[in-house]
Amino acid sequence: MDRLRIVGGRRLEGAVTISGAKNAALPQIAAALLSPYPVELTNLPDVTDVENMLGVVRLHGAEVTRSAHSATIDAGAAASRETSYDTVRRMRATVLVLAPLLARFGHARVSLPGGCAIGARPVDMHVAALAALGASIAIENGLIVASTPQGLTGTRIVLSSPSVGATETAMMAATAAKGETEILNAAREPEVADLAACLNAMGARIEGAGTHRILIGGTTSWRPARHDIIPDRIEAGTYAVAAAITGGQLELTNARLEHMASVVQVLEAAGASVWPGDRGLIVSRGGQLKAIDITTEPYPGFPTDLQAQFMALMCRADGASLVRETIFENRFMHVPELMRLGANIKLQGTMALVRGGAPMKGAQVMATDLRASVSLVLAALVCEGETTINRVYHLDRGYEQLDRKLRLCGADIERVRA
Ligand code: UD1
């Protein structure tokens, strides 16, 4: 397994190109199964989660033509096959194929995702949304077995909380339903709005995505489509922390301010400056880092996917910072590893108290999930001496060429091939 070796103490300066959003790409690849016409996705990030999702649609008979940052998915000859536990276990977002398969073929069998490293993450809201549209659903031998003997019928779906995945499932299924569907308490994440834009390019009629209320006119006439994926706001936020933690200045090419309001607010409170440049956002930090409190919330609140990275930043700030995680119950796996680097963090349930300023020294650490691993990379950039981060495959799931991008702006980082 590859490792990353990082020697801390370099100030980062330069430009980083932000890739397409992984979390926008995954549902759009799944959505291509809805249509018998080709869907071309551009600005596709070159990360292993995307490769895995392309593998999943291939498994269902879609033909995928790939180039560096795009893919054309032609599901003209696709069929609904069983999606095994092994596939879903490797990447939970695989469950997003359930709705398109069901809507197009009238039946689908997708393994239930089990518990995963960052919590239980059930799919009850996905299932409830499909049932509301008229699907009959049973759980058999660990599989979600869904069918629509009478086809799907538009309805009002009220989500019990604004789940990103459940909103996407409901939206995809409703495009193929008879009549109108209204989704209330929908997730407002930019990735949901981007999926709607992609579906609309494919022939759907969706309004209101990006707000709490989404309207979908059903029974779509599909057509060939091309869609450019939005830039990754989580990757942009990660490099913003890299600039702030090292007291450097980075231009985040392609990053969009309008997707990052809550993140920019916290960066500024921590003592960084953020301003729009010609090609994206510029983030820099000159003075001392200040303590900050964050609570993770659904968009437009502070994203849980940036909690671990900001905790690394808090370790270098003056004073005590508080983190409250409200989205996932078990998303503090980076804490013991940050403590191995010298951080002073106290965990209590869903809260973490970070006392900043403790001296941090390089060590061997282990990545446990995507965002936890990248927080270790950020911390290593300011540790004294060398840090080795094991299990880099977690990083490769969601960060395109992380080591190269950091090296180009001055980090002392090297990938050690296994
Ligand atoms: C997506 C993102 C993930 C991000 C998360 C929250 C993708 C591929 N992944 O995940 O990176 O951290 O949004 O911003 O886009 N829940 C239920 N029942 C359900 C569905 C969800 O109880 O049927 C719970 C989850 O356990 C969690 C919360 O709702 O506690 C939010 O989950 P959700 O918004 O659905 O996250 P994902 O779509 O899985």
Side-chain angles (χ1 to χ4, degrees):
M1 270 179 258
D2 289 2
R3 286 168 293 150
L4 284 181
R5 203 154 60 202
I6 301 172
V7 179
R10 298 273 189 95
R11 179 178 176 272
L12 298 194
E13 203 162 342
V16 180
T17 303
I18 302 305
S19 300
K22 167 184 84 79
N23 285 351
L26 298 179
Q28 291 175 32
I29 295 169
L33 289 172
L34 277 164
S35 162
Y37 297 105
V39 177
E40 184 185 359
L41 298 175
T42 56
N43 199 29
L44 195 64
D46 189 7
V47 294
T48 52
D49 269 8
V50 162
E51 280 318 306
N52 283 335
M53 197 58 143
L54 290 172
V56 173
V57 296
R58 272 196 194 102
L59 207 105
H60 292 284
E63 212 173 277
V64 178
T65 318
R66 189 86 167 87
S67 65
H69 286 106
S70 70
T72 301
I73 303 153
D74 185 342
S80 183
R81 310 208 169 102
E82 187 174 308
T83 311
S84 70
Y85 178 59
D86 201 45
T87 321
V88 180
R89 187 182 54 82
R90 260 190 293 136
M91 189 180 55
R92 196 180 172 282
T94 304
V95 82
L96 290 169
V97 298
L98 177 64
L101 290 175
L102 177 69
R104 172 134 173 238
F105 301 105
H107 59 95
R109 293 164 70 85
V110 176
S111 178
L112 263 180
C116 80
I118 57 169
R121 301 181 84 171
V123 287
D124 54 321
M125 282 189 265
H126 296 242
V127 168
L130 295 176
L133 288 162
S136 51
I137 301 192
I139 306 295
E140 287 170 16
N141 310 108
L143 290 171
I144 308 169
V145 180
S147 62
T148 56
Q150 256 78 61
L152 296 168
T153 309
T155 186
R156 170 180 290 171
I157 298 170
V158 186
L159 295 176
S160 54
S161 73
S163 151
V164 174
T167 303
E168 292 169 343
T169 285
M171 218 161 60
M172 289 188 280
T175 55
K178 288 192 251 357
E180 297 241 318
T181 296
E182 181 184 24
I183 307 173
L184 295 177
N185 199 22
R188 290 183 283 168
E189 269 71 359
E191 293 76 16
V192 171
D194 204 44
L195 172 62
C198 175
L199 288 165
N200 284 343
M202 290 165 61
R205 289 174 294 131
I206 304 175
E207 282 171 21
T211 74
H212 280 313
R213 179 170 179 261
I214 304 178
L215 291 175
I216 301 142
T219 325
T220 296
S221 9
W222 301 108
R223 53 174 184 255
R226 183 169 197 266
H227 178 73
D228 197 46
I229 294 168
I230 51 168
D232 195 318
R233 65 196 166 95
I234 305 300
E235 189 193 22
T238 302
Y239 287 103
V241 172
I245 203 168
T246 63
Q249 176 163 319
L250 291 179
E251 179 170 15
L252 312 175
T253 309
N254 299 336
R256 289 200 195 158
L257 187 58
E258 72 267 26
H259 292 164
M260 298 182 65
S262 61
V263 176
V264 168
Q265 197 176 26
V266 175
L267 280 165
E268 288 176 341
S273 307
V274 184
W275 68 96
D278 293 341
R279 299 181 298 170
L281 281 185
I282 302 171
V283 182
S284 82
R285 199 255 304 171
Q288 175 60 40
L289 274 172
K290 292 180 231 160
I292 35 168
D293 294 342
I294 57 171
T295 299
T296 61
E297 286 170 333
Y299 188 85
F302 187 87
T304 176
D305 284 353
L306 282 172
Q307 180 256 104
Q309 297 88 319
F310 274 74
M311 200 184 285
L313 188 67
M314 292 167 180
C315 293
R316 305 314 306 141
D318 249 354
S321 300
L322 194 65
V323 177
R324 203 157 67 91
E325 173 58 60
T326 74
I327 308 291
F328 293 114
E329 73 275 19
N330 184 22
R331 203 168 209 184
F332 282 131
M333 270 148 353
H334 42 290
V335 168
E337 298 301 303
L338 286 171
M339 289 172 72
R340 287 170 54 77
L341 298 173
N344 181 345
I345 306 172
K346 275 218 162 58
L347 265 186
Q348 195 165 37
T350 56
M351 314 254 258
L353 178 69
V354 185
R355 291 198 170 85
M360 292 176 76
K361 288 207 172 113
Q364 290 257 358
V365 287
M366 194 173 72
T368 42
D369 73 43
L370 174 59
R371 311 300 172 187
S373 342
V374 87
S375 80
L376 300 175
V377 171
L378 293 168
L381 292 174
V382 289
C383 277
E384 190 191 317
E386 186 177 296
T387 298
T388 305
I389 296 161
N390 294 296
R391 298 196 181 173
V392 173
Y393 61 86
H394 285 296
L395 285 167
D396 295 334
R397 289 186 59 174
Y399 287 94
E400 180 173 329
Q401 300 205 6
L402 177 84
D403 42 326
R404 181 167 178 272
K405 288 186 185 184
L406 285 171
R407 197 162 43 245
L408 285 175
C409 12
D412 186 345
I413 179 169
E414 178 196 12
R415 178 183 285 251
V416 185
R417 305 265 171 201

